[in-house]
Amino acid sequence: MFSSNWLLVVLVTFLVTPLSRGQLTPSFSPSATLSPSSSPSALLDAGEPSASASASATAPPNPDRNKYFHEPGGDDLLHHYDARFFQRIVTDEERKDTLRHLIRAYFLTFEYLGLETWIAHGTLLAWYWNGKILPWDWDLDTQVTDQGLKLLAKHYNQTYYDYEEGDGQSKRRYYLDVNPWAWQRDRGDGANIIDARFISVDNGLFVDITGLSEVYPDTEPGIIMCKNNHRYRLRDIFPLRHTYFEGVKAKVPFSYVPILTEEYSDAALVRTEFQEHRWDANSREWLKIPKDQDVVKEEGGSKRGVSMKDDGAYA
């Protein structure tokens, strides 16, 4: 649990100039309908384990058995879908369209619920460049406090939310699901490092939500971490900065540059060719490199462009 000083810190916010404003005004209507498979007994009780979860926790580690969120496969494409809503691998255009509306609906939902959340990991790197999703990305990452995670579990677990962009397209529906293992704040057997998901019912693409907790307050006060061992100082996250992402209000960590360089290296903030895309400073967009232009000239020689993934700076 965070220290009492944390409550005072988060009240202060800073303004970041919006990088991207949407052209459409969304019409958002949360249905807040419980999934037929959910019941009050299935919800987390303020972060405490249920009897069945406690029994499982004492058993020998078995990631396959204990894993809550499942994907239809483990390759680079299939592990970006939630298995319950997966039908087929979507096209690139469908993926980009789904992710854009997914993150917009996510932030509108959390604003409606009055819960604080912010952009993390590869999605934070995308925001840094132009306030938009990286064109090669397949999923989205956000974070919440451990207290926010408890509120999600207690009041909003397994609920549906409808979203309408206002562009003549049909309503889109999303499912908010909290992992029953969210009460466990250390890594455990590694099967449940994702605490919650906000999932597109149409195709299974999702936002991964992880909670940050002060796991060792006695020996590491002021250090918060997720279950995938990403560690932060409280002052690096809070106070959160207000900004825009894909045209809607969003928040990012206070010290976003050190956080990004720690996770992805300094090169991630300056390198202009990644994943067969080149940064265009005039349009402030990542543009696909034509097949006949995929060789980068450097200091009298040439070499094929190297992706961010190759040097550890991949979103």
Side-chain angles (χ1 to χ4, degrees):
M1 184 170 296
F2 295 163
S3 66
S4 58
N5 292 335
W6 174 81
L7 295 175
L8 297 176
V9 175
V10 296
L11 296 178
V12 185
T13 55
F14 287 76
L15 180 65
V16 175
T17 302
L19 296 176
S20 170
R21 294 182 181 271
Q23 301 300 312
L24 299 173
T25 302
S27 172
F28 174 71
S29 58
S31 59
T33 304
L34 280 175
S35 163
S37 63
S38 68
S39 63
S41 61
L43 307 183
L44 289 178
D45 182 15
E48 296 301 323
S50 65
S52 60
S54 297
S56 298
T58 61
N62 186 339
D64 290 336
R65 184 193 66 188
N66 292 335
K67 182 175 169 64
Y68 179 70
F69 290 122
H70 289 275
E71 300 75 38
D75 61 28
D76 286 343
L77 292 180
L78 291 176
H79 82 276
H80 293 296
Y81 296 89
D82 189 284
R84 293 167 292 182
F85 301 100
F86 174 75
Q87 300 179 45
R88 60 179 176 82
I89 295 175
V90 299
T91 66
D92 277 350
E93 287 306 311
E94 288 176 297
R95 170 181 57 82
K96 293 175 184 178
D97 182 66
T98 296
L99 292 180
R100 178 177 181 273
H101 290 294
L102 180 60
I103 197 64
R104 287 171 61 86
Y106 173 85
F107 279 112
L108 289 169
T109 298
F110 273 66
E111 182 180 31
Y112 175 85
L113 299 178
L115 297 174
E116 192 161 60
T117 185
W118 59 94
I119 302 168
H121 305 309
T123 310
L124 181 62
L125 181 61
W127 166 85
Y128 173 85
W129 280 94
N130 64 353
K132 297 180 181 180
I133 297 167
L134 294 169
W136 57 84
D137 215 349
W138 275 91
D139 60 11
L140 301 158
D141 295 292
T142 62
Q143 293 172 332
V144 296
T145 65
D146 54 358
Q147 292 299 316
L149 187 60
K150 290 177 182 179
L151 289 173
L152 279 179
K154 188 172 184 178
H155 300 293
Y156 306 110
N157 192 16
Q158 299 183 338
T159 51
Y160 287 95
Y161 298 89
D162 293 329
Y163 163 91
E164 187 173 2
E165 177 68 13
D167 56 0
Q169 300 295 318
S170 59
K171 283 185 179 180
R172 300 166 190 254
R173 172 160 281 201
Y174 303 97
Y175 183 57
L176 179 58
D177 193 16
V178 180
N179 191 330
W181 285 86
W183 62 268
Q184 182 184 54
R185 298 317 305 151
D186 59 20
R187 185 177 177 85
D189 61 14
N192 293 287
I193 59 176
I194 303 302
D195 290 311
R197 274 183 179 171
F198 191 73
I199 310 163
S200 169
V201 172
D202 293 330
N203 53 38
L205 292 174
F206 52 77
V207 177
D208 271 338
I209 307 169
T210 52
L212 297 185
S213 305
E214 196 174 32
V215 180
Y216 307 110
D218 294 333
T219 58
E220 296 181 308
I223 301 298
I224 52 178
M225 57 191 295
C226 69
K227 293 192 288 188
N228 202 26
N229 296 328
H230 291 286
R231 300 159 59 87
Y232 312 91
R233 295 173 300 181
L234 275 169
R235 65 177 181 268
D236 288 337
I237 300 293
F238 303 106
L240 295 169
R241 296 178 184 264
H242 288 210
T243 185
Y244 284 80
F245 188 64
E246 287 293 351
V248 297
K249 293 178 182 178
K251 295 179 182 178
V252 296
F254 181 76
S255 299
Y256 57 86
V257 170
I259 288 173
L260 285 172
T261 56
E262 172 70 20
E263 185 169 357
Y264 295 110
S265 82
D266 294 336
L269 306 188
V270 296
R271 195 168 185 173
T272 55
E273 288 194 14
F274 308 134
Q275 293 293 306
E276 300 179 350
H277 286 74
R278 180 177 295 136
W279 174 253
D280 182 81
N282 292 324
S283 64
R284 296 185 58 80
E285 297 281 353
W286 289 99
L287 304 179
K288 187 79 171 178
I289 300 175
K291 290 296 183 182
D292 58 348
Q293 297 180 17
D294 61 350
V295 174
V296 182
K297 298 289 184 180
E298 290 192 358
E299 298 180 355
S302 67
K303 70 175 184 179
R304 187 165 299 276
V306 182
S307 73
M308 292 171 66
K309 189 173 183 179
D310 295 328
D311 65 2
Y314 176 68

